[in-house]
Amino acid sequence: MIHTKAEILLNQRIVPDHFKMVLRLNGFKGKIKPGQFFHIRAGSGYDPLLRRPLSLHRIGDKPNIIELLYKVVGKGTQLMSRRSKGTYLDVIGPLGNGFKIEKAQRNFIIVAGGIGAAPLLALCDELAKFRKKSITVVLGAKFASYIVCEKEFKDLGAEVLIVTEDGSEGTKGLATDVLVDVIKRFDLRATTGPLADKDTSGITIGSYHPLVGVYTCGCKDMLKEIAKICKYYKLKAQASLEERMGCGLGACLGCVVNTINGYKRVCKDGPVFDLSEIAF
Amino acid sequence: MDLAVKIGKIKLKNPIMVASGTFGYAEEFKDITDLKGIGAIITKSVTMKPKQGNKPPRLWETTAGLLNSIGLQNEGVEDFIKNKLPFLKSVGVPVIVSIAGETINEYAQLAKKLNIPAVSGLEINISCPNIKTKHRLFAQDAKAAASAVKAVKKNTKKTTITKLSPEVTDICEIARAVEKGGSDAISVINTIKGMAVDIETQKPQLGDITGGLSGPAIKPVALRIVWETTQTVRIPVIGVGGIMTADDAIEFLLCGATAVQIGTANFLNPQAVIAVAEGIEAYLKEKNLSNLKEIVGRLK
Ligand SMILES: Cc1cc2nc3c(=O)[nH]c(=O)nc-3n(C[C@H](O)[C@H](O)[C@H](O)COP(=O)(O)O)c2cc1C
Ligand code: FES
């Protein structure tokens, strides 16, 4: 983890309201895991007051160059969108735990709800390195012009299924409906076999499917639905959660999410959680 | 340049502390903050029993302010001593443990449990607005406030700082009561209760409906209370509330604060304490002064 001035190498609108930013983290030498985030001060004033957490979208050409993908939703992201190339942002990171990549899995299902695609591309970069695997990305968006990263996922060899709420492109409906169709393609008999598995929290949930894994990021309602679906089909699912943050360092306890093991800090114990652990 | 100050028996190399609840137990900041540059570390408030805190969401930003409704989440004093105190001790700066009780007796017990060498002093938090009680806060009743202080003093020889609430009719009455009760210092202010509403969902922005306001928005209130209380009590007054820069801190010192605490600013800049200390030093130099005491209470 480092606290540094990061030079903006690029800050570009890619589709309406969505921006890609490339930063060089001066002095950073470590590794960044998909699912980790950066806590960024968008301006220098007191409105907005706090930093904004933004997930790693992709590692750039060098280990200290990162790409972020963000949607303009409030004052902080609006300020960020106006920053020009060559100026500097105050950045703390990388923070949080990142996705746990399960080495035994071979069939990856990625479900992205809108800007939730941001951390999932970095994850897909890692998953693409697996041999003998399949990656299916369910890319959900409000309408066609809000679809992001379709080409990037395809370039990594993933099958991309587009879903829009208004049907302006791909399937009309919700990403979760398409998820069920994707899940049904797999041989789910394995899940009812003799595989007594344990999840990370040490609680026996029964046997998970050993090969199929679900990875997601998006709004709470979507995650809740995916949790239900994955519980039903006994699929391991990890989600990157979003919560308002203060310190970003695990100190203020402002970012907690309710889990079956009590309140946990999204910034430090997450942002990636096993979906089965979240108490929606 | 001499920035050293004394609060009770505690010697601080500079007058800048980190405020309770905004710096965890210091370990969280160790990678990005020069911890040794902090005057004193005030811990997150500890309670007798573990406390799970309030329902999320717990934070909401307002114009130049922050509402929080954490609700004193912590693992309890036993866990604190076992798992948090060793690191705090290793930092090598005074450790002031913030204690919060639900009853006078709990304050007494907390003081007793914390009679350990690694603890330099206690901040008696009688002013957290995020706790549901049937009656008023201890800090809103002169008698109750004094009783909490007395209960602590009876069980410790350590320096005590009593943290007061701005939400009272007469802050000087409360300040006098805790001074009489034996408090070695007061810190003002804790957060101011507020709320915010999401007009789309028509629900409160915070899970607990109300929360405590901190940050630049409350600075004028904190400053006024520092000024009023320093006119009234003889014990040191520690200024807290909206201090983001050295200039802010200097305003508090000029109004009579012996020392200051930095809270919300730690979230914006984990090196805020260091920056404020350097800024105060630069100010003294510029004014041709060599000692911090030459500005404390020198409001013209
Ligand atoms: C997230 C958060 C948690 C806090 N927790 C505590 C606490 O546990 N005990 C306490 O006495 N004050 C607590 N406070 C209040 C601060 O110590 C301080 O009095 C207040 O934030 C005003 O200072 P500031 O404007 O510099 O933040 C908390 C404040 C914040 C923002
Ligand atoms: S943002 Fe402070 S604990 Fe997570």
Side-chain angles (χ1 to χ4, degrees):
Chain A
M1 186 211 310
I2 186 172
H3 176 204
T4 188
K5 293 263 173 279
E7 186 183 348
I8 301 173
L9 303 178
L10 178 94
N11 192 19
Q12 192 179 49
R13 199 189 78 142
I14 50 165
V15 297
D17 302 331
H18 293 68
F19 287 74
K20 184 165 134 177
M21 181 180 267
V22 182
L23 293 174
R24 184 194 290 120
L25 303 174
N26 284 333
F28 179 72
K29 291 214 179 64
K31 261 201 76 164
I32 310 164
K33 279 166 72 177
Q36 287 192 300
F37 70 95
F38 294 87
H39 215 20
I40 299 178
R41 191 133 186 239
S44 53
Y46 301 141
D47 192 24
L49 186 63
L50 299 175
R51 290 170 180 270
R52 291 290 178 271
L54 290 176
S55 292
L56 172 73
H57 179 49
R58 239 178 178 176
I59 307 270
D61 305 335
K62 297 207 180 100
N64 71 335
I65 294 181
I66 56 164
E67 292 182 15
L68 307 170
L69 180 72
Y70 62 96
K71 185 181 177 193
V72 174
V73 287
K75 286 179 199 157
T77 40
Q78 205 158 63
L79 264 180
M80 272 186 71
S81 70
R82 296 199 192 113
R83 300 292 299 259
S84 47
K85 190 176 146 178
T87 62
Y88 288 79
L89 280 178
D90 186 315
V91 175
I92 299 173
L95 299 169
N97 59 356
F99 288 99
K100 284 190 305 286
I101 295 176
E102 307 266 347
K103 294 255 156 57
Q105 289 178 352
R106 283 297 172 272
N107 308 110
F108 303 105
I109 306 173
I110 291 175
V111 188
I115 190 64
L120 296 169
L121 186 65
L123 172 75
C124 197
D125 277 329
E126 285 301 310
L127 300 179
K129 295 175 188 161
F130 276 60
R131 291 197 297 169
K132 292 199 195 140
K133 44 96 201 347
S134 73
I135 305 174
T136 303
V137 180
V138 181
L139 206 52
K142 253 205 169 73
F143 30 75
S145 63
Y146 268 11
I147 297 166
V148 288
C149 306
E150 181 182 2
K151 180 176 182 302
E152 287 83 352
F153 280 120
K154 280 186 173 158
D155 288 346
L156 289 168
E159 172 194 19
V160 177
L161 305 171
I162 304 274
V163 192
T164 52
E165 281 174 32
D166 66 349
S168 49
E169 198 171 325
T171 310
K172 180 180 163 133
L174 295 173
T176 43
D177 303 331
V178 176
L179 169 66
V180 174
D181 296 338
V182 175
I183 290 173
K184 283 183 175 161
R185 294 178 191 168
F186 294 100
D187 179 2
L188 297 167
R189 280 171 303 179
T191 344
T192 50
L195 300 143
D197 214 342
K198 283 190 168 203
D199 83 347
T200 49
S201 53
I203 294 167
T204 306
I205 305 205
S207 43
Y208 284 114
H209 196 292
L211 299 176
V212 183
V214 175
Y215 298 83
T216 183
C217 181
C219 68
K220 275 245 165 74
D221 288 341
M222 183 186 92
L223 297 186
K224 188 174 171 179
E225 190 58 29
I226 294 178
K228 254 195 250 163
I229 293 167
C230 291
K231 188 175 175 195
Y232 181 82
Y233 290 104
K234 296 228 175 91
L235 298 181
K236 267 202 173 173
Q238 289 177 42
S240 175
L241 265 53
E242 267 193 43
E243 198 46 77
R244 299 170 197 158
M245 287 187 192
C247 65
L249 303 167
C252 73
L253 306 172
C255 64
V256 300
V257 59
N258 199 12
T259 76
I260 53 173
N261 302 308
Y263 289 134
K264 288 203 173 177
R265 301 163 297 182
V266 170
C267 72
K268 187 84 179 182
D269 307 311
V272 180
F273 290 89
D274 277 340
L275 259 187
S276 59
E277 197 194 349
I278 305 300
F280 285 103
Chain B
M1 189 70 62
D2 190 6
L3 292 188
V5 294
K6 232 178 136 190
I7 307 281
K9 285 178 273 193
I10 309 172
K11 283 193 198 110
L12 291 77
K13 68 173 149 312
N14 68 48
I16 305 130
M17 321 180 187
V18 286
S20 177
T22 63
F23 210 71
Y25 308 96
E27 190 164 10
E28 298 89 338
F29 282 79
K30 71 171 192 281
D31 291 342
I32 49 176
T33 305
D34 172 17
L35 299 178
K36 284 203 163 19
I38 300 174
I41 296 168
I42 306 191
T43 70
K44 171 77 190 162
S45 293
V46 299
T47 52
M48 279 306 288
K49 291 194 210 91
K51 229 178 156 60
Q52 66 165 14
N54 291 328
K55 188 174 127 194
R58 292 176 172 180
L59 297 176
W60 181 253
E61 273 181 280
T62 63
T63 307
L66 171 64
L67 283 168
N68 89 79
S69 60
I70 312 296
L72 297 184
Q73 180 181 339
N74 78 102
E75 299 294 323
V77 66
E78 302 282 355
D79 177 88
F80 169 79
I81 292 168
K82 194 162 154 252
N83 296 320
K84 315 289 190 204
L85 197 53
F87 177 83
L88 283 160
K89 185 185 165 196
S90 76
V91 176
V93 311
V95 175
I96 298 171
V97 181
S98 169
I99 56 172
E102 279 171 30
T103 60
I104 299 289
N105 183 40
E106 278 194 357
Y107 281 104
Q109 281 179 273
L110 283 161
K112 223 183 263 175
K113 289 227 184 263
L114 290 162
N115 262 325
I116 19 185
V119 176
S120 311
L122 301 175
E123 183 173 72
I124 312 170
N125 177 7
I126 53 172
S127 48
C128 179
N130 290 320
I131 291 301
K132 298 263 173 315
T133 48
K134 279 183 230 90
H135 33 84
R136 288 182 282 182
L137 298 170
F138 288 110
Q140 285 167 330
D141 180 321
K143 257 201 198 134
S147 313
V149 175
K150 280 182 199 152
V152 170
K153 286 305 278 187
K154 218 187 256 171
N155 289 287
T156 190
K157 293 206 165 56
K158 293 186 193 293
T159 298
T160 53
I161 302 165
T162 308
K163 189 164 181 183
L164 304 185
S165 168
E167 296 182 81
V168 292
T169 316
D170 180 3
I171 189 71
C172 294
E173 182 201 352
I174 311 286
R176 268 194 301 266
V178 302
E179 179 180 44
K180 258 203 175 142
S183 192
D184 298 295
I186 59 169
S187 47
V188 280
I189 55 177
N190 210 321
T191 53
I192 307 172
K193 206 159 157 180
M195 66 186 284
V197 174
D198 179 342
I199 62 165
E200 275 313 309
T201 62
Q202 305 183 339
K203 286 183 186 164
Q205 294 284 14
L206 294 171
D208 203 45
I209 304 175
T210 62
L213 186 64
S214 66
I218 70 168
K219 195 187 93 179
V221 179
L223 200 58
R224 181 269 297 176
I225 289 181
V226 164
W227 181 74
E228 284 182 354
T229 50
T230 50
Q231 314 286 306
T232 311
V233 295
R234 255 181 239 164
I235 52 177
V237 173
I238 302 165
V240 203
I243 300 176
M244 313 304 278
T245 62
D247 291 7
D248 294 333
I250 293 163
E251 283 190 63
F252 278 82
L253 296 166
L254 287 169
C255 284
T258 303
V260 294
Q261 294 179 11
I262 290 189
T264 305
N266 297 313
F267 304 161
L268 282 71
N269 177 12
Q271 286 275 59
V273 170
I274 313 303
V276 169
E278 284 170 1
I280 293 175
E281 209 171 315
Y283 175 83
L284 292 177
K285 250 184 220 147
E286 191 197 297
K287 296 272 175 201
N288 268 322
L289 305 168
S290 60
N291 196 311
L292 186 73
K293 294 188 183 75
E294 293 173 80
I295 60 167
V296 170
R298 296 297 168 90
L299 186 69
K300 286 181 183 154

